[in-house]
Amino acid sequence: MSAPTYTPLEERPLKDTICLFDVDGTLTPARLDASPEILELLQALRKKCSIGFVGGSDLIKQEEQLGKPAGVPVTTLFDFCFAENGLTAYKLGQPLPSNSFIRWIGEAQYKELANFCLHYIADLDIPVKRGTFIEFRNGMINVSPVGRNASTQERNDFEAFDKDAKVRQKFVAALKERFGHLGLTFSIGGQISFDVFPTGWDKTYCLQHLENEAKKPNGITYKNIHFFGDKTFEGGNDFEIFTDSRTIGHSVKGPEDTMRILKELFDI
Ligand code: M1P
């Protein structure tokens, strides 16, 4: 595919409508590439309204799953690209204001938080400890009592151990007690760790970029924000934006289902 040409946003038939898509499990099979069919359908949809994606991973991952299979930069395929839930954002290929965890929390408070975690881990009596107990990411930190260098076997062992020992649950309770005033969310999602990020930095974060559009000269007020996601159940990472009063939520079973709903809704 060569870089798609597009009609200016304000000249599209449904100019106050945008379709926002989760990536994994919605536009692509989990962790795999987008199919030519869905990429083509998205460009047909783009003739009618604005389109965007909102993914939890960084832009490199979305480039691999969406841009690479299309053979063009991912920022040319969508009007709005929201990586890391919108902390990194592009409109028509141009960057929008970005944000980061460290900018939000500040060095002094971050140091307190990191020191607390490292002391807490040092005092933990667990079967195995490896390395990288705090992973510093752009939009969050990831804290692991066993350490992110754990092998697959060590991961599985820790997960099994933690089911009974509740190491992570107790760790999170201690953090909430000590840092409750900071407005942080602690999320135990995987096998060996938990994520720490500012409350509200879920997928709803990207909606502020759309709201900002309305404030620009001749900017568009998006009255209909359709969101498509597969993890829309409580605890899933699409839940907040799916249930947000600003969006019209669609729960999908996979890319084929997304395509089916789009064809029905937009006659494409
Ligand atoms: O996607 C769920 C979690 O997956 C990983 O967790 P773990 O290493 O504990 O299995 C991490 O990438 C974590 O950030 C993420 O929430």
Side-chain angles (χ1 to χ4, degrees), residues 62-91:
Q62 291 124 15
E63 195 67 80
E64 273 169 25
Q65 287 178 280
L66 301 166
K68 224 160 90 199
V72 293
V74 67
T75 49
T76 67
L77 292 175
F78 294 83
D79 302 306
F80 291 89
C81 296
F82 298 128
E84 296 172 90
N85 296 344
L87 296 182
T88 299
Y90 286 81
K91 176 194 172 191

Side-chain angles (χ1 to χ4, degrees), residues 23-25 27-35 61 64-66 69:
V23 179
D24 264 318
L27 291 181
T28 76
R31 289 180 292 278
L32 297 177
D33 291 355
S35 68
K61 193 84 186 51
E64 273 169 25
Q65 287 178 280
L66 301 166

Side-chain angles (χ1 to χ4, degrees), residues 6-262:
Y6 57 85
T7 314
L9 301 181
E10 62 283 0
E11 289 173 22
R12 301 191 194 171
L14 304 171
K15 67 168 190 175
D16 54 10
T17 295
I18 181 164
C19 288
L20 280 182
F21 302 92
D22 160 56
V23 179
D24 264 318
T26 299
L27 291 181
T28 76
R31 289 180 292 278
L32 297 177
D33 291 355
S35 68
E37 291 76 27
I38 201 160
L39 290 170
E40 205 176 296
L41 195 75
L42 288 170
Q43 294 314 308
L45 178 64
R46 200 178 181 189
K47 293 194 165 74
K48 298 210 159 177
C49 64
S50 299
I51 65 168
F53 72 75
V54 50
S57 344
D58 57 20
L59 197 64
I60 297 168
K61 193 84 186 51
Q62 291 124 15
E63 195 67 80
E64 273 169 25
Q65 287 178 280
L66 301 166
K68 224 160 90 199
V72 293
V74 67
T75 49
T76 67
L77 292 175
F78 294 83
D79 302 306
F80 291 89
C81 296
F82 298 128
E84 296 172 90
N85 296 344
L87 296 182
T88 299
Y90 286 81
K91 176 194 172 191
L92 300 174
Q94 299 303 313
L96 292 169
S98 63
N99 207 347
S100 70
F101 180 70
I102 191 65
R103 201 184 303 161
W104 178 88
I105 194 167
E107 292 295 350
Q109 289 191 134
Y110 176 63
K111 205 159 68 180
E112 270 186 58
L113 178 65
N115 288 351
F116 182 94
C117 289
L118 293 172
H119 277 294
Y120 190 96
I121 292 168
D123 291 338
L124 275 179
D125 185 14
I126 53 175
V128 157
K129 287 184 194 175
R130 292 295 178 255
T132 313
F133 300 101
I134 300 178
E135 187 171 81
F136 185 80
R137 301 178 181 170
N138 185 48
M140 65 169 72
I141 56 166
N142 175 268
V143 182
S144 173
V146 58
R148 298 207 61 75
N149 297 145
S151 66
T152 307
Q153 186 59 53
E154 289 158 355
R155 276 182 157 267
N156 296 341
D157 292 347
F158 178 83
E159 188 182 25
F161 172 77
D162 199 33
K163 279 211 170 84
D164 292 329
K166 310 226 177 310
V167 176
R168 288 181 291 173
Q169 224 168 291
K170 290 176 196 162
F171 197 164
V172 164
L175 281 165
K176 281 185 177 162
E177 194 180 325
R178 174 67 182 76
F179 295 100
H181 58 289
L182 291 185
L184 291 164
T185 293
F186 302 89
S187 165
I188 304 175
Q191 287 183 289
I192 56 161
S193 65
F194 56 88
D195 296 329
V196 184
F197 52 87
T199 301
W201 284 23
D202 47 57
K203 286 188 181 164
T204 60
Y205 185 93
C206 77
L207 298 176
Q208 61 187 268
H209 289 297
L210 298 182
E211 287 170 346
N212 288 341
E213 287 302 303
K215 299 174 196 153
K216 294 179 181 169
N218 304 318
I220 293 178
T221 304
Y222 286 105
K223 293 195 187 123
N224 308 307
I225 304 175
H226 291 270
F227 171 76
F228 298 78
D230 66 323
K231 296 190 187 63
T232 53
F233 48 86
E234 196 162 0
N237 64 7
D238 295 327
F239 177 74
E240 290 85 1
I241 189 166
F242 173 72
T243 52
D244 194 286
S245 61
R246 292 168 289 180
T247 65
I248 304 157
H250 305 274
S251 190
V252 305
K253 295 185 187 74
E256 296 294 324
D257 204 27
T258 306
M259 290 172 69
R260 179 187 63 77
I261 300 171
L262 286 177

